[in-house]
């Protein structure tokens, strides 16, 4: 076991899968240029050295190369397509939503589309067009699986599971969690590194993870917000509030077994989300939990999310946009007080 | 036309294939108009030489992508009238198990994934299929059918850009039937020929008389060879005309009468049939016999298709994930 | 007052606004071709005769012409951009989400983007790629207003309000409600026509409409589902169940005043939506209602929506995909029984 | 260069404008590296002749769109160093009230909407701005800046397609600096020149020595005239090079050393300064004085910008809707 950053863990996972299965290949902008950065966040750094023919640097043409990934996938390849920033998924939207997600169904189950998509999300001082949390635009879209990785272990394990899955899988990653180094270090980064085994392993694409056991309230988050939820739980613990913190991790489908177990136990739920509250992933999660476990809820599910605004640039505004540990803790307090 | 250079069997086969498409489309049109067939349709009467000319120059294991107007391509690629008709009727045993419908017919086992009805959407897809062929070091080519209207889409530009820089074995086949829906091609570009756009990507482009099945066949044969030799992609523009509405019940009032008539005289089946009869070994009676066979074939297929069961409600939620 | 179909009402609304304000213009594919159809559903039929210079037929280039609409809007024009099928909004997604919706915020309020977007949605026998309900991809996106029109009066009034609004407004219309005639008649069409005044009027973009008063349960829907909800209410009335039926109509922002009044009265809510249940508009509506009026709810909000699948072609499957009056009624019965 | 045909004042002004951009960018780079400026940056050192050459040929009420690399365009279009710097510092009185940041600087009152950081995204936008100008029968032109990398985007294709068929007064200005991020232009197209792509749209294209400010000025003047005469659009390719990283702290290891050095020798400010000194009425001392002025100007602007207040929390939720 070694401690790896998320960027390193993804890099290792990709390389191992490419070694294991020669139908696996990567494509994306600047992913493997000698002297370059290994994509926007160093994940594919050096990949072109071992796999010169399976590391495809693309032109800036997201619609084109996502579509090409779909086409290659239906012909037996297993592409891993990478956008530099999640926001650019809007450019590729048609190929993802109209082709990748639906070809299997439209073909009556005769075609399969085993492809992986990787997208960094989150507000990081770059202004509105390089900042959005794109999860909401993919959750619930039939035919696509969606996961979000908040630590290196999951990053590697889910990447590998995604590569081996026969469906299109979207992996959301957070810019502040990569642990990208050198010139690509992010200011405000949060540590997503952890011990990662040397042996081959995968992490299932439909299981949430209970990161902290607790009895009084269930706090659900993913990506950066999961880390902040853990920090909030520490604060709350000092106040005598015992929070269970779950890394939702699998966003489509949700793992209602794990979530349900917690809700039945605590009776209180706070969902934490980076991104405008209205129409976010938290909406579905809140509705789904209420439908399934409403009788156990002592109060309506509470959402702690961003206000309904684009991502502002000024640090003072961006920090107010992004929920932090204190806002999460306050959300929990308000929820528990309300009875 | 160089009919004399080909042997009879080959030529008659081309004729029969075109006629099959025509007969299929005419019968389907009837079924729609009488209301027994559900959904909507986009048909290809008048464009049979494109589908048949191209596909006759391919190997069975070459692959194609198609559009909202896919019946002709599907038949030319070897899908049976039955599997398509069942699909059109919404039958559970159709080529897409009734989940696709007219705009999405295909059969991946025959080298045709479901047709893509998002205009231009098949172009990156075909590019990716060709990429797989190249990476897998297979000798096949991918053929990407699309219309003149599709050339304005970003997907056209991005798809061909990738095909070109990766030297992929893909033939981009634009059936220029002068209209995208009701919009004439000269309203959407200043360029007289779609094929000239190839230059922007540094690939070879060629304008072909699209109603001449042999010309299309030849151009495709050469393009496919070029692709197999690692010198793709190629952009072929097939000049043709749709002799029917854009979709069901379109009366085509946006097309000048004379234009329609002029193209009707260039009906690819009519023209090819006439040329065939110039040969010593083909007579009108042969063609008539073929027509009878084809009519019977299609009628039989309709009969079969009508009898097939619809999907069951349980099918609604299957095939979403592999 | 005359009875108009939705297509006619929109056509009239567009013409009137173009007469009133010469900065208003239309652009889209096949919208004004002599001898053509007036767009895919006859809404702009004949428009080019009165406004030859302000009826712009575009190439098939959704990203391009939506982007051009944004550019024209920031320069003082008021474009009305039309996609033939809502599904094609995926092609234009980047211009809508990254430019139209955010330019005002990014400019610190110095730029405005007064544009209207019109998109027909709904499953109508055309297969998966011409069938999706796109509302979910726009609800909650900051900077965009979203409405959905289910009758001719609203269609005209909201179209006019949208044209006069200084923000990007997305108007969803339903293919089965247009009342398109001639060759463009839709099979399975439902009557959306109604009396429409001759005088100028607008309908606000943030008000829901109570279409049927009732005491026992609140049924929320929009577009086609609203009509089916009304039909369900009739059935339920014969069973002694008195349902209040609300045409939600304004999807972003929601009118929680009107909705709240009803919820407080009935204590039971059913949300009806065409489209996959998971991550739909109904999720936000359910979460939002529960947060705001949870104390009045006797049972968790219930959603009646499509299963999580792409839209199938076969009529038998499509009919099962699309909620109908009977499924709505059954949803209400189950909800009321559950206590 | 035809420096002799222009009067001194004009030429010295061009020099000063280029120098202002250079000095601005160098200071900003320093502020980023020392960590006092937040966010990320994309800078244009080496490309000053493009921004200044183009904008000097425009009227004040002409409009432009820009990209993720907008500082030079903004300064050339008349935004003050102060309003940009405040924005970069995240100040509430910046040109975008602190809500835009480096990648979105702009000031619509000066003919520049917020820069679009989605590569290619400004191309349809500029097209629409030109459409408005044409519909409003105004004499202005729109100029659309973008990079070589943007030419692969569907937005490039669709935007120019519309500009061409509607004969819009828009100049599509591609600053070909040989790289899109770390990817060399010859990896993304088979074509040696971006300008050749104009032919696919039936518009005029021209490759210009982008580091020669007068060549750029002249080409733009002619293109603008053409557009105002209703004969647009035009595609200009300005061959240039970025003498700095793609974004902050990029060491450019993907660029060959010799290439960097060769282009450093073609530094547009250096070259133009040298040419200016050939004139009888310009001496090195004049240029030195300009440099001093510019340095003072930028230093003063930084001073001012640092002192401006940040937005308040209440600003977070304003300006979402009009
Ligand atoms: C992205 C997209 N935009 C619009 C449409 C609606 N539409 C269907 S076919 C068609 C015309 C296509 O013209 P062309 O590519 O020339 O093909 P043809 O119909 O002539 O075969 C249009 C506009 C669509 N299906 N997809
Ligand atoms: C749609 C999109 N894809 C990718 C990026 C990330 N990105 C930012 S700048 C850039 C390179 C742009 O190259 P070019 O157009 O040549 O402009 P230059 O940076 O050279 O000025 C890339 C890939 C982006 N901003 N938008
Ligand atoms: Mg056509
Ligand atoms: Mg560049």
């Amino acid at each position: 076991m070694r401690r790896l950053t998320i960027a390193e863990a993804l890099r290792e996972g990709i390389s191992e899968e490419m070694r294991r299965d020669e139908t696996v290949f990567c494509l994306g902008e600047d992913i493997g240029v000698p002297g370059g950065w290994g994509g926007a966040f160093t994940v594919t750094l050096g990949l072109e050295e071992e796999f010169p023919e399976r590391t495809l640097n693309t032109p800036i043409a997201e619609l084109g190369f996502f579509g090409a990934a779909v086409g290659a996938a239906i012909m037996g390849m297993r592409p891993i397509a990478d956008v530099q920033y999640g926001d650019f998924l809007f450019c590729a939207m048609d190929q993802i939503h109209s082709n990748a997600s639906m070809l299997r169904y439209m073909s009556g189950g005769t075609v399969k589309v085993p492809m992986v998509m990787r997208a960094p999300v989150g507000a990081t001082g770059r202004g509105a067009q390089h900042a959005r949390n794109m999860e909401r635009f993919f959750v619930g879209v039939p035919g696509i699986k969606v996961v979000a990785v908040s630590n290196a272990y999951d990053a590697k394990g889910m990447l590998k599971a995604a590569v081996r899955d026969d469906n299109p899988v979207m992996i959301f990653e957070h810019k502040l969690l990569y642990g990208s180094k050198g010139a690509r270090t992010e200011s405000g980064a949060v540590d997503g590194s952890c011990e990662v085994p040397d042996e081959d392993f995968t992490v299932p694409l439909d299981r949430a993870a209970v990161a902290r056991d607790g009895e009084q309230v269930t706090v659900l988050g993913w990506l950066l917000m999961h880390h902040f939820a853990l920090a909030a739980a520490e604060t709350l613990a000092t106040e005598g509030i015992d929070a269970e913190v779950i890394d939702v991790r699998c966003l489509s489908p949700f793992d209602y077994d794990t979530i349900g177990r917690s809700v039945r136990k605590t009776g209180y739920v706070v969902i934490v989300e980076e991104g405008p509250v209205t129409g976010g992933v938290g909406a579905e999660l809140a509705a789904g939990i209420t439908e399934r476990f409403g009788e156990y809820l002592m109060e309506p599910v509470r959402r702690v999310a961003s206000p309904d605004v684009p991502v502002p640039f000024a640090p003072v505004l961006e920090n107010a946009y992004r929920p932090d540990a204190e806002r999460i803790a306050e959300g929990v307090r308000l929820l528990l007080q309300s009875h | 036309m160089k009919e004399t250079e080909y042997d009879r069997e080959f030529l008659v086969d081309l004729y029969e294939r075109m006629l099959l498409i025509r007969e299929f489309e005419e019968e389907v049109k009837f079924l729609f108009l009488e209301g027994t067939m559900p959904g909507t349709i986009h048909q290809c009467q008048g464009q049979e030489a494109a589908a048949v000319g191209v596909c006759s120059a391919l190997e069975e294991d070459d692959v194609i992508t198609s559009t909202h107007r896919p019946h002709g391509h599907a038949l030319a690629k070897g899908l049976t009238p039955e599997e398509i008709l069942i699909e059109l009727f919404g039958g559970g045993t159709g080529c897409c198990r009734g989940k696709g419908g007219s705009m999405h017919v295909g059969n991946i086992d025959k080298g045709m994934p479901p047709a893509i009805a998002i205009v231009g959407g098949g172009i990156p897809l075909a590019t990716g299929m060709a990429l797989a062929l190249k990476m897998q070091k297979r000798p096949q080519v991918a053929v990407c059918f699309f219309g003149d209207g599709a050339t304005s889409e970003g997907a056209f530009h991005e798809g061909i850009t990738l095909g070109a820089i990766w030297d992929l074995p893909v033939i981009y086949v634009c059936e220029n039937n002068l209209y995208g829906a009701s919009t004439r091609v000269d309203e959407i570009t200043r360029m007289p020929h779609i094929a000239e756009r190839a230059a922007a990507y540094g690939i070879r482009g060629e304008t072909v008389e699209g109603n001449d099945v042999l010309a299309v066949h030849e151009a495709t044969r050469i393009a496919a060879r070029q692709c197999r030799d690692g010198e793709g992609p190629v952009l072929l523009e097939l000049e043709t005309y749709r002799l029917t509405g854009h979709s069901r019940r379109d009366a085509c009032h946006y097309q000048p009468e004379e234009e329609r008539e002029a193209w009707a005289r260039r009906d690819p089946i009519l023209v090819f049939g006439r040329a065939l009869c110039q040969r010593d070994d083909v007579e009108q009676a042969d063609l008539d016999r073929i027509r009878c066979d084809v009519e019977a074939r299609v009628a039989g297929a309709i009969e079969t298709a009508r009898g097939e069961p619809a999907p069951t409600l349980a099918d609604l939620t299957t095939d979403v994930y592999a």
Side-chain angles (χ1 to χ4, degrees), chain A residues 29-30 60-62 84-85 88 91 130:
Chain A
E29 295 152 16
D30 304 294
I60 311 174
E62 290 81 6
Q84 299 197 334
Y85 291 80
F88 312 155
C91 299
H130 286 67

Side-chain angles (χ1 to χ4, degrees), chain B:
Chain B
M1 240 190 263
K2 308 160 284 300
E3 286 75 9
T4 46
E5 296 166 25
Y6 298 88
D7 65 58
R8 181 182 188 284
E9 196 185 352
F10 172 77
L11 295 175
V12 166
D13 183 54
L14 288 186
Y15 183 79
E16 182 171 336
R17 291 194 200 203
M18 290 202 287
L19 208 59
L20 177 67
I21 296 175
R22 176 67 56 89
E23 178 64 18
F24 180 98
E25 290 290 56
E26 289 295 332
E27 285 301 307
V28 162
K29 185 171 196 163
F30 178 80
L31 292 167
F32 264 95
L33 291 180
E34 78 168 11
T36 52
M37 193 167 260
T40 191
I41 33 164
H42 302 81
Q43 303 198 291
C44 70
Q45 290 95 321
Q47 303 181 206
E48 295 88 350
V52 170
V54 168
C55 292
S56 63
L58 300 179
E59 303 297 326
E60 222 178 275
D61 53 3
D62 289 330
V63 295
I64 70 168
T65 63
S66 181
T67 69
H68 57 285
R69 199 180 299 290
H71 304 171
H73 305 144
L75 287 167
K77 190 67 180 75
L79 274 75
T80 64
E82 285 80 0
E83 64 184 323
I84 304 173
L85 282 164
I86 300 171
E87 190 62 32
L88 267 53
F89 275 118
T93 56
C95 55
C96 300
R97 314 279 199 265
K99 287 176 175 169
S102 165
M103 287 207 264
H104 303 303
V105 297
N107 180 338
I108 193 73
D109 293 332
K110 293 180 178 169
M112 179 183 179
I116 305 299
I118 304 292
V119 168
I123 303 177
L125 199 77
T127 302
M129 293 168 74
L131 173 63
L133 292 173
K134 180 174 175 177
M135 294 184 86
Q136 293 159 352
K137 304 200 175 20
R138 287 159 62 184
Q140 288 96 297
V141 301
V143 166
C144 177
F145 286 105
F146 55 91
D148 46 293
T151 60
S152 308
E153 281 285 358
F156 166 88
H157 182 66
E158 298 191 17
I160 299 188
T161 291
L162 294 177
I165 60 163
W166 290 335
D167 306 328
L168 298 183
V170 49
I171 313 178
Y172 298 108
V173 176
C174 178
E175 289 179 69
N176 181 354
N177 62 6
L178 299 190
Y179 291 85
S182 70
T183 302
R184 213 164 187 289
V185 65
D186 49 22
E187 306 264 315
I188 61 147
T189 171
R190 293 182 177 187
M191 303 302 290
H193 288 292
I194 303 285
E196 295 174 57
R197 288 167 172 257
Y201 308 99
I203 65 174
R204 186 170 73 80
E206 182 182 348
T207 302
V208 180
E209 193 169 325
N211 278 13
D212 177 344
V213 67
L214 284 177
V216 175
H217 175 87
E218 276 308 317
T220 308
R221 214 175 45 76
I222 292 166
R225 167 79 14 247
Q226 189 181 335
C227 285
R228 290 189 223 277
D229 288 347
E231 284 156 22
V234 176
L235 172 61
L236 295 184
E237 172 187 18
L238 312 182
E239 296 189 307
T240 181
Y241 200 78
R242 97 176 117 65
L243 294 175
T244 185
H246 166 64
S247 61
R248 71 192 155 137
R249 284 181 296 168
D250 168 21
C252 300
H253 291 311
Y254 48 85
Q255 295 178 332
E257 199 69 53
E258 324 79 75
E259 182 183 273
R260 294 194 63 74
E261 283 163 10
W263 280 94
R265 286 190 296 275
R266 294 171 62 182
D267 179 329
I269 298 178
L270 210 71
V271 172
F272 190 56
R274 219 179 278 136
L276 278 185
C277 288
Q278 304 294 309
R279 286 177 65 114
D280 296 339
D281 53 4
V282 180
E283 289 175 19
Q284 185 59 43
D286 297 328
L287 304 189
D288 293 344
R289 204 167 327 109
I290 294 173
R291 178 173 298 275
C292 281
D293 290 352
V294 163
E295 282 174 5
R297 178 83 219 276
V298 172
I302 291 173
E303 205 46 42
T304 306
R306 279 192 203 272
E308 288 296 301
T312 66
L313 286 189
D315 294 323
L316 179 61
T317 51
T318 57
D319 301 328
V320 180
Y321 292 94

